[in-house]
Amino acid sequence: MISFTRQKDFLVGIDSDGCAFDTMELKHKECFIPNIIYYYNLQGVSKYAREVAEFVNLYSKSRGINRFPALIETLERLRRRPEVKARRVQIRVPESLKSWIKNEKKLGNPALEEAVNSTGDADLKHALEWSRAVNRTVEWMVKGVPPFPYVRESLERLCEVADIIVVSATPEEALRREWAEHGLDQYVRAILGQESGTKKDFLALGSQYPPGHTLMVGDAPGDQKAAEANSALFFPINPGQEEQSWEEFFKRGIEHFINGSFSGEYQSQLIAEFDRALPADPPWVEEPDA
């Protein structure tokens, strides 16, 4: 259970990567993807591996999902590409990692390490090594990335009336480092990442607040689903239009939320635009697994 007691009239959850900070492209293109190619022996199809991983993590409705399900989706989509089959590069999807994802709620390194220690499974151990390498690369690479314009201004305004929490699938050590680097941690009550549970779990804290007083600000369909699962409102930060989205939130969205006019037509228009921003299907051909 997450220890959290209501202090203000409203609760606002805010995602971090790609939402508050312009770190999604940097982290995936420079940190995640090179390590996927190295650890999963994709050098022979690196061009396609990069394209698939970018689609899964950045440019599709899978955007923002936890790193381990994203890794599985990347490998499965890559295996179905005819260009990869033509090169006779074998893409092996670790079935034990798929099983662990299905049965584990806290999809982070600590839980994976426990599974490795208890089972000795080689694929789980390899996934843990990959994940740790990603974390090392992120720590080395991701510095000096400021929040999007209007993020700080929005937090300053919101913290007067709302308990603000960071709601993310990123490891908490990285979250704390990045929010502290830019002095944004002073505005939030809690920083919650993958080790503490899911975004759905975190937004369940909204049960302490009146109906219509919980809002999720996010850039991915998973953020919207977590909000809907908890009957919370959702303000989307549209990929590729982050600055405009935050300006809209600061100038109009916050006021709609506080005065009770957010749900209905205003939220529906925002979500319709958000739904158009990310496709479900890739631009390339995929063949069924043999």
Side-chain angles (χ1 to χ4, degrees), residues 12-278:
V12 177
I14 300 179
D15 184 44
S16 189
D17 289 335
C19 180
F21 296 98
D22 192 11
T23 49
M24 282 280 279
E25 299 258 341
L26 177 63
K27 286 186 177 181
H28 283 286
K29 292 183 177 181
E30 310 300 337
C31 305
F32 278 83
I33 295 172
N35 280 299
I36 293 175
I37 291 170
Y38 175 75
Y39 276 88
Y40 287 89
N41 301 315
L42 305 178
Q43 292 88 339
V45 290
S46 64
K47 174 173 66 175
Y48 302 112
R50 180 172 294 276
E51 187 177 24
V52 173
E54 288 181 5
F55 177 78
V56 169
N57 290 286
L58 299 172
Y59 308 131
S60 75
K61 293 193 183 301
S62 293
R63 175 184 170 94
I65 64 174
N66 178 277
R67 66 178 62 183
F68 298 108
L71 172 63
I72 294 295
E73 182 177 346
T74 296
L75 294 174
E76 289 182 335
R77 285 190 178 277
L78 188 62
R79 186 170 63 179
R80 294 196 295 266
R81 290 195 64 155
E83 304 94 334
V84 173
K85 293 179 180 181
R87 296 190 181 200
R88 298 183 179 180
V89 172
Q90 297 299 311
I91 309 297
R92 195 176 68 83
V93 178
E95 293 299 324
S96 58
L97 182 62
K98 289 178 66 175
S99 297
W100 177 77
I101 290 168
K102 182 179 179 180
N103 296 307
E104 175 60 53
K105 192 172 186 180
K106 297 180 179 179
L107 297 179
N109 285 4
L112 184 55
E113 184 175 1
E114 289 182 10
V116 170
N117 291 337
S118 63
T119 66
D121 185 272
D123 284 338
L124 295 183
K125 181 179 180 182
H126 193 71
L128 180 60
E129 291 171 353
W130 164 76
S131 185
R132 286 171 171 169
V134 169
N135 288 354
R136 291 193 298 270
T137 312
V138 168
E139 184 176 6
W140 172 74
M141 173 64 70
V142 182
K143 295 180 175 65
V145 182
F148 286 110
Y150 290 101
V151 171
R152 188 180 305 275
E153 296 87 340
S154 297
L155 292 173
E156 289 173 346
R157 184 176 178 189
L158 278 171
C159 72
E160 297 177 359
V161 297
D163 294 319
I164 304 173
I165 58 175
V166 178
V167 174
S168 176
T170 297
E172 289 174 4
E173 185 276 329
L175 292 171
R176 288 191 291 268
R177 182 176 66 249
E178 290 160 16
W179 282 70
E181 178 185 358
H182 301 282
L184 297 188
D185 54 341
Q186 64 181 304
Y187 302 111
V188 303
R189 290 277 317 280
I191 294 178
L192 303 173
Q194 61 181 221
E195 299 91 340
S196 295
T198 68
K199 294 179 180 181
K200 179 181 175 181
D201 297 332
F202 306 152
L203 290 179
L205 296 170
S207 63
Q208 302 179 46
Y209 300 78
H213 282 223
T214 300
L215 173 71
M216 176 66 193
V217 181
D219 66 304
D223 301 323
Q224 180 183 352
K225 291 177 183 177
E228 292 172 346
N230 287 283
S231 300
L233 302 168
F234 178 64
F235 187 95
I237 303 300
N238 292 328
Q241 296 182 320
E242 293 89 353
E243 288 87 349
Q244 298 93 320
S245 295
W246 276 106
E247 184 175 5
E248 170 66 26
F249 182 65
F250 177 70
K251 292 184 175 179
R252 286 171 285 276
I254 293 175
E255 184 59 32
H256 278 295
F257 176 50
I258 293 173
N259 68 25
S261 60
F262 191 95
S263 64
E265 183 180 357
Y266 181 70
Q267 180 176 236
S268 296
Q269 290 176 348
L270 293 171
I271 291 177
E273 182 180 358
F274 177 61
D275 187 58
R276 292 191 293 268
L278 295 169

